[in-house]
Structure formats: C-alpha cells, structure tokens
Amino acid sequence: MKRAFGLIAAFLVCAVLCGCDFSIKSADSLMRAPELPGDYALLQKAFAASVDTSFKLKNPVSGDHHSAFVLHDLDGDGNEEALVFYTREDSSTVYVTLMRRQADGSWIDSGVAESPGTDVNSVRFADIGGDAAEEIIVTWSVTDIPANKYLCVYGSGPDGNIFTMATELYDMLYVTDVNGDGVSEVFIALRDTVDDEPLNYFKLLGYSAEYGLVSKISDVSVAPAAESFLAVASDTKGGSVRLFVDESTGNNIYQTEIICWDDGSKRLYIPKTVSDRPLSSFTQRNVKTLCEDIDGDGMIEIPSVVRLPGATRYDPENGVTENLYLNVWYAAEDDKLTDFKRYIDCSGSGYTFDFPESWMNLYTVQYDISKGSLEFYLYNDEDSTRGGLLFSLERETVSDAVDDDDDLDRYPVYSGNEYNYFAIITPAALEQGITAEEIIGHFAPDSDG
C-alpha cells in the first residue's frame, strides 16, 4: 500500500509530501498532466472529477499518514478505500471524501464529510462498531483557535457513504478496549477550563447500536486541571483496564493521573487513598519521565522522585553541592502506591544503584560526579547528621585496574568495556549486615557497559 501510495504522492501531491498544500484549479487542469500508470491514475482522475470547484489538498501533520490521500482497507474485503482531505475554493473548512474502487478498477465518490477544523492533525483506524469493519478517527485543529482540537469518528452506512458518528473536543486521545467487550473505545483527556475551577475531564466513547453512532459511555473529572497532557498508557489488573495519563502541572512539575474501569458499575473512576486523595498527588516529580512497563510483565509502573535525607550530589569542578534525589517507580494498587524500585541515578557515571526502602533514614550518600563514586554513610534521622562511612562504590578505567588481591577490603562489582567498578567495605558496613553480595546485587550498569 505504501509503495502504491508513494506513486500518487510523487506525481499528484509532491508538494504535499514536503509539508505544503497543493492547489488544483479544475479537474481539466489535472487531466492534462502526465498520467500515472495503473489504478492510481484512475483514482487521481476520479477524485478531481468529483469535486465541482477548485480545491487545495490538505496533509495530516502528525501520525502515521502524512499525505492528503490515505489508502486503507476499511471493510476487510482485501480492497483499499481512499480518503482524500482538501479545502474548497474560498473556504478554510477541510472536507474528506471517501473513494471506493470498483470491480473494473474504476473509482467512485462514496460521499463527503465536512470537518469542524481547518487543519488535519492525524488519521487512524479502529473497529469501534464491533462488525470487523474499521471506523475512521480523524483529529482536527482550527488555525485561528489553536487550543481547540476536535476529533471526529466517521463510518460508512449500508449504502457505503461516509457519515459522521461523533465529534468531540479533546486534548489527548487513546484508542483501546477499555470495557472488555472486545471492541475498541476512544478515551479522551480534556482540560475543562470553562468553569471557575478548571478540571481534568476524562471521557470514554463507544458504539451505540441503538443509534448507530459513537457516544459517551462514561466520564469522570478531577481538579485541578493539568497544564498539558503528555501521554497515555494502559494495562489490565484483575480483569479491569487502567489508564495512566502523564501530564504537566506547570513549573516543571509532572504527575500521572490514574483512571480505572469498574466492570460492575460500567463506569470510569479515579482511585483515591483512604484519606480521599487522588493517587496522582503522590506521583509528582520534577523530571519529565513517562510511566511505562519497566520490567516487561505487562503492568505499568509510575515514576517519581523522593528526597534522600542527608544525601548530596557533589560537583568539585564547579564547586557545587546539591541535594540528591532517589528515582522511584511505583506500582499502583487499589488505593495506594507501593514501591516497585528505588535507585540512585548515576547514569552519567555508567550505572544506577538500587536503594532499598529499608535503608531510608538509616543511611545516606554522597555522589561525586567527577569520580563517578558513591559513598554511603550512617544517617541520624533525629538530628539530620551524617555518621561514619559504611562503604564506597568506586570507578576506575580498565587501563588503571589494580590487583584486587592487594586490598582485602576491595571487592569487584562489575567490569565493563571502559570502566571497572569495585566496592570498598568498612567493618561498620559488615556490622550493619551489608555484604559485598548485597552491594553487587544493587548495582546495575548502563546497557552500553
């Protein structure tokens, strides 16, 4: 399909592929151009003949499709249909025409739908109606009002004509089977700033067999509103789908909103703690890290950062000492977040180091970024003071490696292509039950070694 479509784009809409619009003054002017071989020359001619005025082709600006001509097999019969996006003379409104290929290879106009926008953002396809045929999901923007973004769901009726099944405002969308019926739904995240208290508004759209349209299944909202949405991910826990919406709250603060589907009540809900706080309030972080399945078990983990009491990040070259934070990944439970992984990010020195929750308020560290070393100390939580050295994690270039037998307190941790890492353990660490094997288990080299 992509190769065939490239033939069309190379001739008819070469400017479109460069991100420009392409104007056609009339069908006759298109006919006089050199013809493309095969069925796609017929598509080119049939579309131009179907438009009764001058037109300008419009390209989707994002997503998987970047040309005004989008070919896709909507009904699963093995033959591709064509969508064509364009504006008419003296109008900024974008239209979409559905073209169908006939048994003899000719193409016919199967209807036109008007959009609410002046630009095409993206085009995607999903079976929302549950009949194995795919609906068309198009997102639009309005040039004069960039904040207003629309999505439309289009289907084709019994006569094959295109028609609009839904039109919604949105800021971010995600297509998946949320309610477990085996059919895709459209999940929308929207910043609702109309009322006095701005909200994050989440809506689930699905197919209504009664009306043959796509409409609201459930919605839920939470305050305050995000500054922007970044990404959506999902997993399934206990047979129910959970949606994770990463968002910016402003001032370089990020968090993850969690929205769940309750199969009993058939509705969306936002899980809260026993103190009635949304779980998102515990996911705030000052780094733009998105939630993901970090261990490949199919479950989403949520990133955050927490202050490690007494810990510092030391930059001797610039004479700067800063507070050091732990990177934390949480697993979401029904009404709480549980620690999945805590670690010190020393990726600039080639590794990370797990910091168990049981060490919190007992031990602290100093990270020297010039040497790539970590020094671990006892920590007095009552008066916030640092105690004696427990062990240090050191780095040396492979060329500078020494014989470990010369130092009985020096334990090899990892050997990479450029650096060797080793631990120097004091008797105080052994008194705390910290062993070389435990230190090695907490160390994780970067993938490049």
Side-chain angles (χ1 to χ4, degrees):
M1 181 186 79
K2 291 182 178 178
R3 183 180 179 186
F5 182 68
L7 290 173
I8 303 172
F11 168 73
L12 176 63
V13 287
C14 59
V16 175
L17 291 180
C18 297
C20 304
D21 296 327
F22 188 82
S23 298
I24 301 296
K25 293 302 181 184
S26 68
D28 289 340
S29 65
L30 179 62
M31 302 303 181
R32 289 195 297 269
E35 292 186 359
L36 289 174
D39 291 343
Y40 299 104
L42 299 177
L43 168 60
Q44 163 195 321
K45 294 178 180 179
F47 166 70
S50 72
V51 182
D52 56 4
T53 184
S54 300
F55 61 89
K56 180 185 291 184
L57 296 172
K58 298 290 288 188
N59 298 326
V61 297
S62 62
D64 295 333
H65 306 280
H66 296 281
S67 173
F69 282 76
V70 177
L71 276 73
H72 190 82
D73 182 4
L74 295 173
D75 51 14
D77 65 354
N79 294 316
E80 292 175 327
E81 286 73 42
L83 301 170
V84 189
F85 297 92
Y86 61 98
T87 57
R88 296 176 181 272
E89 185 179 21
D90 299 328
S91 173
S92 60
T93 298
V94 181
Y95 296 84
V96 53
T97 290
L98 175 62
M99 304 290 293
R100 293 185 181 274
R101 181 161 39 194
Q102 303 303 291
D104 62 0
S106 63
W107 292 81
I108 62 169
D109 174 354
S110 193
V112 179
E114 181 177 343
S115 84
T118 56
D119 289 291
V120 190
N121 285 341
S122 67
V123 183
R124 67 189 78 185
F125 305 92
D127 178 12
I128 299 175
D131 56 358
E134 291 187 311
E135 279 66 48
I136 307 154
I137 305 171
V138 184
T139 61
W140 311 91
S141 61
V142 181
T143 302
D144 295 338
I145 314 174
N148 283 4
K149 298 192 299 182
Y150 294 87
L151 73 85
C152 290
V153 181
Y154 300 102
S156 56
D159 56 1
N161 286 347
I162 188 171
F163 71 100
T164 303
M165 302 177 74
T167 299
E168 296 279 347
L169 281 168
Y170 84 104
D171 285 316
M172 180 160 284
L173 69 88
Y174 185 76
V175 180
T176 191
D177 178 11
V178 174
N179 61 8
D181 63 355
V183 178
S184 294
E185 287 83 40
V186 180
F187 173 77
I188 293 174
L190 177 67
R191 297 171 63 252
D192 184 355
T193 59
V194 175
D195 296 329
D196 293 337
E197 184 179 26
L199 300 170
N200 284 344
Y201 179 63
F202 305 105
K203 181 188 288 189
L204 187 65
L205 303 175
Y207 181 69
S208 169
E210 181 179 0
Y211 300 104
L213 300 173
V214 172
S215 58
K216 182 183 76 174
I217 296 175
S218 178
D219 61 357
V220 67
S221 60
V222 63
E227 183 177 81
S228 62
F229 298 109
L230 305 176
V232 183
S234 65
D235 66 14
T236 302
K237 183 176 177 62
S240 296
V241 170
R242 305 184 300 177
L243 298 142
F244 299 79
V245 182
D246 289 315
E247 57 193 36
S248 168
T249 63
N251 299 317
N252 293 319
I253 300 298
Y254 308 92
Q255 67 179 23
T256 301
E257 205 77 66
I258 305 169
I259 302 95
C260 299
W261 173 259
D262 182 357
D263 199 45
S265 62
K266 306 297 182 185
R267 65 179 182 85
L268 297 173
Y269 71 95
I270 294 175
K272 297 183 179 181
T273 66
V274 292
S275 59
D276 204 36
R277 290 178 60 186
L279 294 183
S280 59
S281 63
F282 298 93
T283 69
Q284 291 190 348
R285 51 203 183 262
N286 59 0
V287 290
K288 193 177 179 180
T289 306
L290 305 180
C291 61
E292 62 175 303
D293 175 11
I294 63 173
D295 61 343
D297 67 347
M299 306 303 292
I300 297 295
E301 284 79 42
I302 303 170
S304 188
V305 293
V306 297
R307 173 83 169 92
L308 179 56
T312 56
R313 182 179 183 274
Y314 176 50
D315 179 1
E317 292 185 5
N318 297 306
V320 176
T321 300
E322 302 173 324
N323 292 332
L324 185 143
Y325 290 81
L326 292 177
N327 286 33
V328 182
W329 287 88
Y330 291 119
E333 303 298 338
D334 292 336
D335 59 357
K336 62 182 178 181
L337 300 176
T338 59
D339 263 33
F340 183 80
K341 181 181 178 67
R342 289 182 178 228
Y343 64 94
I344 302 168
D345 185 0
C346 303
S347 55
S349 302
Y351 66 97
T352 61
F353 193 90
D354 289 347
F355 196 95
E357 188 176 11
S358 61
W359 287 13
M360 291 293 291
N361 299 316
L362 294 177
Y363 312 135
T364 192
V365 304
Q366 176 172 284
Y367 172 39
D368 186 322
I369 65 172
S370 66
K371 296 193 300 182
S373 65
L374 278 176
E375 294 179 340
F376 288 75
Y377 297 88
L378 287 168
Y379 181 72
N380 189 325
D381 185 40
E382 292 184 359
D383 58 10
S384 302
T385 57
R386 182 183 294 177
L389 178 68
L390 296 170
F391 68 92
S392 63
L393 187 63
E394 308 287 344
R395 182 183 70 168
E396 65 185 1
T397 61
V398 171
S399 60
D400 292 336
V402 299
D403 188 349
D404 292 337
D405 292 336
D406 294 340
D407 191 342
L408 298 179
D409 296 325
R410 173 188 166 105
Y411 297 87
V413 173
Y414 177 78
S415 295
N417 297 325
E418 185 177 358
Y419 292 101
N420 291 332
Y421 300 86
F422 59 93
I424 297 177
I425 305 176
T426 71
L430 300 177
E431 291 176 3
Q432 294 288 318
I434 300 174
T435 65
E437 290 75 15
E438 183 178 10
I439 294 170
I440 293 170
H442 292 320
F443 179 90
D446 287 351
S447 58
D448 58 5

